[in-house]
Amino acid sequence: MTTTTLPTRTHLTVAPAVPTAEEDLVPRPPVVDIVIPVHNEQATLERSVLRLYAHLRAVLPYAFRITIADNASTDMTWEIAARWEREVPEVRAVRLSAKGRGRALSTVWAASDAAVLAYMDADLSTDLAAVLPLLAPLLSGHSDLAIGSRLGHGSRVVRGPKRELISRAYNLIVRTSLGAGFSDAQCGFKAIRADAAAELLPLVEDPEWFFDTELLVLAERSGMRIHEVPVDWVDDPSSSVDILDTALKDLAGIWRLGRGLSSGRIPLGTLRDAPLAEEASGSPRGIVSQLGHFALIGVASTLAYAALYWLLRSGLSAQWANAVALMVTAIANTAANRWFTFRVRGRRDRLRHQAQGLLVFGIGWAVTAGALWALGAIAPDANRPAELVVLTAANIVATLIRFLLYRAWVFADRLGVRSSRNSHAVPAAPATEVSR
């Protein structure tokens, strides 16, 4: 194995307010602990740690630690990690007997003595220029978590169309099914304050790739503030991640988490501050409960639409009767779902929700109008009952689209409370004298 000579480390001379001999002898915990979870990464680990170490020494004004978390590697990964730990005081190596990124992060973060905990993938696909923007809102006390986003405005991403499509589809599913407000759940570039981690980690169940999504959803639902950083990201074509297996496990995780939130099995109430707990009585229901209420309202709306269409059809053409019936029921449907399904109370944003609901109605109108046009093309002499059957089927499709848009857009601001918690800011960086 090729051996890389480790660089001479940076020595930080920190002048305490009242220097004492005892203080000089007591090692201080790092302010930031960055974890690199690895499994059989002997080909890239040394180069990645060397690059990250050099970058942190150059830009970070706080004491830091790099923790290499080996997930049951069977190659030379552990030997490389152990050598770094022996030769560089700012590097620690931890070995776990079982695989799983979530398991590694949960184990290392729970045992860390740092004020801010972070992690990044071993291939360092994310440009390290984003490290300081990631850590800054946590060090200042402004936010509880910070995540790199490959899908946000300002990000620059290089990857194939297959991975791009999968990533966007997954995040759309997370947003629509779990009501997430963040844009990128699985970018391997995240940080969290230690006090927030202490509250959330006991509630996170997934030991693998879904760990990130579960952590973020629970944080958002409990009122913690999440800061997003647009990143430059280059895909690693040699990644060994099984996309199909990971996707299936992620979908299972979404279902489990959604059920846990809707049933109240996950005790989020223990994490909320008093102002947020006061608002919880009007907080949105979970996905299962929402689907139930939405379905009941949908059945009522469909029956009302059918009756109204039947009456209007006597004096109007099929297209005009459809448009008017949809318009009337759309306004009532939006108001009912606003109140019963998504539990939005009061007059605030009511007009905006109705305006967005009308835009959603436009999509429903396009679906039903298209169905009527197709029926006319196939069967020009179709009678009114046939029209109603086709329109009912088209309305079912439009209803599914409406539910997704309600969750992802119209009422998205009510699905994850984003209030900032009162947190203690990490003290400003002390004056340091850096010598190499």
Side-chain angles (χ1 to χ4, degrees):
M1 180 183 67
T2 303
T3 302
T4 301
T5 302
L6 301 183
T8 303
R9 67 188 183 90
T10 300
H11 299 278
L12 299 179
T13 303
V14 180
V18 182
T20 64
E22 290 78 7
E23 284 182 333
D24 292 339
L25 296 175
V26 177
R28 297 183 178 183
V31 175
V32 178
D33 191 351
I34 298 179
V35 182
I36 303 180
V38 291
H39 175 72
N40 291 343
E41 299 283 356
Q42 67 175 20
T44 60
L45 177 59
E46 190 145 31
R47 181 172 64 254
S48 294
V49 175
L50 179 61
R51 180 180 158 203
L52 175 60
Y53 179 64
H55 181 80
L56 295 179
R57 288 198 312 160
V59 305
L60 199 62
Y62 296 94
F64 67 86
R65 176 195 296 138
I66 299 173
T67 300
I68 305 171
D70 179 20
N71 296 271
S73 293
T74 56
D75 60 2
M76 296 294 292
T77 295
W78 173 247
E79 285 74 11
I80 297 172
R83 184 170 63 82
W84 270 90
E85 181 181 47
R86 288 194 305 269
E87 299 186 20
V88 181
E90 292 90 350
V91 176
R92 182 178 62 162
V94 176
R95 192 172 197 181
L96 291 87
S97 59
K99 290 175 60 178
R101 180 172 74 178
R103 179 180 290 108
L105 292 176
S106 182
T107 300
V108 175
W109 281 356
S112 180
D113 55 354
V116 173
L117 313 168
Y119 95 89
M120 55 189 66
D121 290 335
D123 57 12
L124 300 187
S125 294
T126 303
D127 192 295
L128 294 180
V131 169
L132 275 183
L134 184 80
L135 300 176
L138 308 187
L139 293 168
S140 67
H142 174 271
S143 301
D144 298 287
L145 296 90
I147 64 174
S149 175
R150 299 163 296 185
L151 304 178
H153 178 71
S155 61
R156 298 175 181 176
V157 177
V158 178
R159 61 179 165 185
K162 180 180 178 181
R163 285 184 175 269
E164 179 75 13
L165 177 62
I166 291 173
S167 176
R168 290 188 177 275
Y170 175 75
N171 282 287
L172 177 61
I173 292 172
V174 171
R175 288 177 63 86
T176 55
S177 62
L178 297 175
F182 46 85
S183 64
D184 192 351
Q186 290 194 315
C187 180
F189 193 72
K190 294 182 175 68
I192 183 172
R193 289 179 59 89
D195 53 351
E199 295 181 62
L200 291 171
L201 290 179
L203 302 181
V204 181
E205 299 179 21
D206 191 86
E208 299 182 357
W209 296 98
F210 189 67
F211 172 89
D212 296 54
T213 304
E214 189 167 3
L215 180 76
L216 291 174
V217 170
L218 293 178
E220 193 172 57
R221 289 294 186 92
S222 63
M224 295 184 184
R225 174 173 285 177
I226 300 174
H227 180 78
E228 296 199 25
V229 178
V231 298
D232 295 346
W233 193 86
V234 180
D235 184 30
D236 178 12
S238 63
S239 174
S240 59
V241 177
D242 187 329
I243 297 178
L244 178 60
D245 180 66
T246 301
L248 293 175
K249 289 180 178 178
D250 284 344
L251 292 175
I254 290 173
W255 175 254
R256 172 184 56 77
L257 181 57
R259 291 187 62 186
L261 291 170
S262 63
S263 66
R265 180 181 63 81
I266 302 175
L268 283 182
T270 61
L271 301 179
R272 293 192 176 99
D273 290 337
L276 295 176
E278 186 176 308
E279 189 177 345
S281 60
S283 63
R285 299 179 171 93
I287 178 68
V288 176
S289 177
Q290 286 177 352
L291 280 171
H293 286 81
F294 184 82
L296 291 175
I297 295 172
V299 170
S301 295
T302 300
L303 292 176
Y305 165 84
L308 191 56
Y309 177 84
W310 190 271
L311 292 174
L312 292 171
R313 188 64 179 88
S314 300
L316 299 174
S317 68
Q319 290 288 9
W320 274 108
N322 171 57
V324 174
L326 270 180
M327 174 74 75
V328 174
T329 54
I331 294 173
N333 183 279
T334 300
N337 277 298
R338 183 178 189 269
W339 181 268
F340 292 107
T341 304
F342 299 99
R343 304 181 74 174
V344 181
R345 305 290 191 258
R347 297 182 179 180
R348 179 182 177 185
D349 293 330
R350 183 171 60 184
L351 293 179
R352 177 175 66 82
H353 290 154
Q354 280 292 351
Q356 291 174 316
L358 289 177
L359 291 176
V360 174
F361 145 77
I363 296 176
W365 172 80
V367 172
T368 53
L372 277 177
W373 177 84
L375 176 65
I378 297 172
D381 299 327
N383 56 20
R384 198 181 305 177
E387 292 175 356
L388 205 54
V389 169
V390 169
L391 286 172
T392 300
N395 262 313
I396 292 175
V397 175
T399 298
L400 293 175
I401 296 174
R402 185 185 305 125
F403 179 73
L404 293 178
L405 289 175
Y406 275 166
R407 283 185 61 85
W409 179 45
V410 180
F411 302 112
D413 57 332
R414 289 290 296 143
L415 296 178
V417 184
R418 289 186 161 210
S419 299
S420 176
R421 304 186 313 152
N422 293 326
S423 55
H424 298 289
V426 177
T432 59
E433 180 182 334
V434 181
S435 60
R436 299 186 183 279

